[in-house]
């Protein structure tokens, strides 16, 4: 009987050939855009002609909710990148979906921030920036969940 000699072996990582590696990049890009829109909405004076950081004493809840959302988006981006680069590997299901949970919570806080401002005015462009940031945050959390679901065994 002839013996087989193995000359070379190649290990292919799961998801490295398909578009699975690109999905988390799109999720991070959308979350970064959401973070940018949230920062712009808080910093610019588009809340009925006033800035919520300087001139608005009744806008404290909007400011606090916006800063919480920015912090959660940043943590969601960080965890998504760390999971994608496989710097965090865990066997706990809760830790695996923490990036999705953080991005979803950030979207909820963004919605709460622009709802708490009071009445809606068509010249209120920071309101629209917050709405856009909320949409980008929810889409990035869905993309992160889709990516995590496809690569659940390798993360």
């Amino acid at each position: 009987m002839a013996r087989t000699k193995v000359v070379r072996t190649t290990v292919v990582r799961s998801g490295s050939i398909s578009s699975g590696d690109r999905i988390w990049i799109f999720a991070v890009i959308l979350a970064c855009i959401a973070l940018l829109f949230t920062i712009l909405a808080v910093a610019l004076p588009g809340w009925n002609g006033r800035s919520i950081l300087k001139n608005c004493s009744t806008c404290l809840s909007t400011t606090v909710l916006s800063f919480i959302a920015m912090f959660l988006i940043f943590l969601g981006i960080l965890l998504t990148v760390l999971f994608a680069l496989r710097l965090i590997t865990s066997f706990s299901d809760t830790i695996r979906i923490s990036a999705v949970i953080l991005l979803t919570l950030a979207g909820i806080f963004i919605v709460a921030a622009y709802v708490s401002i009071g009445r809606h005015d068509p010249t209120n462009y920071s309101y629209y920036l917050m709405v856009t940031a909320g949409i980008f945050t929810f889409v990035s959390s869905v993309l992160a969940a889709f990516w995590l679901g496809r690569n659940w065994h390798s993360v």
Side-chain angles (χ1 to χ4, degrees):
M1 200 179 255
R3 298 190 70 146
T4 305
K5 181 178 177 185
V6 177
V7 178
R8 187 173 110 174
T9 60
T10 305
V11 177
V12 177
R13 191 178 69 193
S14 172
S16 63
I17 307 283
S18 67
S19 65
D21 280 346
R22 287 183 246 140
I23 293 173
W24 73 269
I25 294 172
F26 291 139
V28 168
I29 289 171
L30 288 178
C32 287
I33 292 171
L35 183 63
L36 175 70
F37 282 156
T38 307
I39 291 170
L40 287 175
V42 171
L44 295 175
W47 299 96
N48 294 328
R50 61 183 182 216
S51 174
I52 62 173
L53 292 177
K54 296 178 187 173
N55 306 339
C56 187
S57 62
T58 61
C59 303
L60 184 62
S61 62
T62 303
T63 307
V64 170
L65 290 169
S66 299
F67 280 119
I68 291 172
M70 284 188 260
F71 180 69
L72 290 174
I73 291 172
F74 179 73
L75 285 179
I77 291 170
L78 184 68
L79 280 176
T80 304
V81 169
L82 289 177
F83 280 135
L85 297 177
R86 289 173 177 71
L87 296 175
I88 295 177
T89 55
S90 175
F91 298 105
S92 172
D93 293 342
T94 308
I95 293 176
R96 286 183 183 171
I97 61 170
S98 61
V100 176
I101 292 171
L102 286 173
L103 288 172
T104 305
L105 281 175
I108 291 170
F109 276 101
I110 287 174
V111 170
Y114 69 74
V115 166
S116 70
I117 194 64
R119 71 178 213 277
H120 173 258
D121 189 13
T123 61
N124 196 354
Y125 62 87
S126 289
Y127 175 86
Y128 294 116
L129 286 172
M130 288 294 272
V131 170
T132 307
I135 291 169
F136 280 135
T137 304
F138 282 124
V139 171
S140 70
S141 69
V142 168
L143 284 176
F146 180 72
W147 169 77
L148 217 86
R150 289 182 61 164
N151 297 322
W152 190 259
H153 60 280
S154 63
V155 174

